[in-house]
Amino acid sequence: MTKLQTRSKVSSLLLSLAWLVPATAFCEPWPYVERPAGPRFYLGDEDARLGHAQFIAGNFGNAEFSFRRAVEVNPRNSAAWLGLASSYDRLGRFDLAERAYREVRQLIGENAVYLNNHGYSYMLRGRMKEAARLLGRARQLDPGNPTIENNINLLNAGQNYYWGGDPYIWGWPR
């Protein structure tokens, strides 16, 4: 073996082992910075995320189970309560949905998301006047929200089909 071949083998060996040396070995180390205090996750988040995925997939029974576990672990998780109420709506358990909506209202107040979901719940139950009242308040809080607008259009279309009259019977602008 010649000197040149030996040098090339040694240099290739050194290059192949270079990844073992950390990049900070030849420079000043980074100072350690303490992260701000606080939890990195909240109790019940995994169950709430699983419930959301099950709800999107149309598995409302599994979604209800996951959301219920999430609110048992953390009763102040408003997203889990809202998901639980929506799951109860889709399962036809309107009595339990009403209790869950009361919890949501106590936690987050009457914001547009709560009013829209509760109004849709009333629409599923056939209580159209309450649905129109809540959806109208949701529209006032968040004008132009496409979800709220779709629910209002759905309510109007249902009333037009059922009564055969003006779909804007609730006094909303055309």
Side-chain angles (χ1 to χ4, degrees):
M1 195 181 258
T2 67
K3 225 181 206 185
L4 184 58
Q5 289 175 334
T6 306
R7 281 187 186 169
S8 73
K9 285 196 179 219
V10 169
S11 63
S12 65
L13 178 66
L14 288 176
L15 286 175
S16 65
L17 294 176
W19 63 273
L20 292 174
V21 179
T24 59
F26 304 109
C27 63
E28 287 291 319
W30 288 92
Y32 177 73
V33 178
E34 184 72 33
R35 291 183 182 251
R40 295 175 194 256
F41 68 94
Y42 295 98
L43 293 174
D45 274 355
E46 188 60 36
D47 289 323
R49 282 193 292 269
L50 180 60
H52 183 73
Q54 292 289 341
F55 190 89
I56 295 297
N59 303 324
F60 304 115
N62 292 341
E64 179 268 335
F65 177 76
S66 296
F67 283 129
R68 191 167 20 91
R69 277 193 356 202
V71 298
E72 287 170 358
V73 170
N74 182 4
R76 300 200 45 83
N77 188 343
S78 60
W81 277 109
L82 198 57
L84 182 62
S86 298
S87 298
Y88 282 144
D89 280 337
R90 297 304 293 261
L91 293 171
R93 295 298 314 265
F94 299 121
D95 54 333
L96 296 174
E98 195 59 38
R99 284 186 9 200
Y101 281 121
R102 273 196 304 267
E103 289 290 332
V104 173
R105 188 176 63 231
Q106 288 177 355
L107 290 173
I108 63 174
E110 291 191 352
N111 65 10
V113 174
Y114 161 78
L115 290 169
N116 178 57
N117 284 19
H118 203 179
Y120 187 80
S121 175
Y122 280 135
M123 195 168 25
L124 291 176
R125 301 175 208 185
R127 296 169 61 181
M128 301 305 177
K129 290 196 186 232
E130 291 95 340
R133 183 177 54 82
L134 291 179
L135 290 172
R137 288 192 2 224
R139 178 193 260 175
Q140 287 174 348
L141 292 175
D142 191 3
N145 183 320
T147 305
I148 296 170
E149 294 300 322
N150 286 340
N151 286 342
I152 289 173
N153 290 337
L154 183 64
L155 178 67
N156 285 334
Q159 289 300 305
N160 188 34
Y161 176 79
Y162 185 74
W163 294 106
D166 185 10
Y168 295 95
I169 60 173
W170 305 108
W172 293 320
R174 295 181 194 265

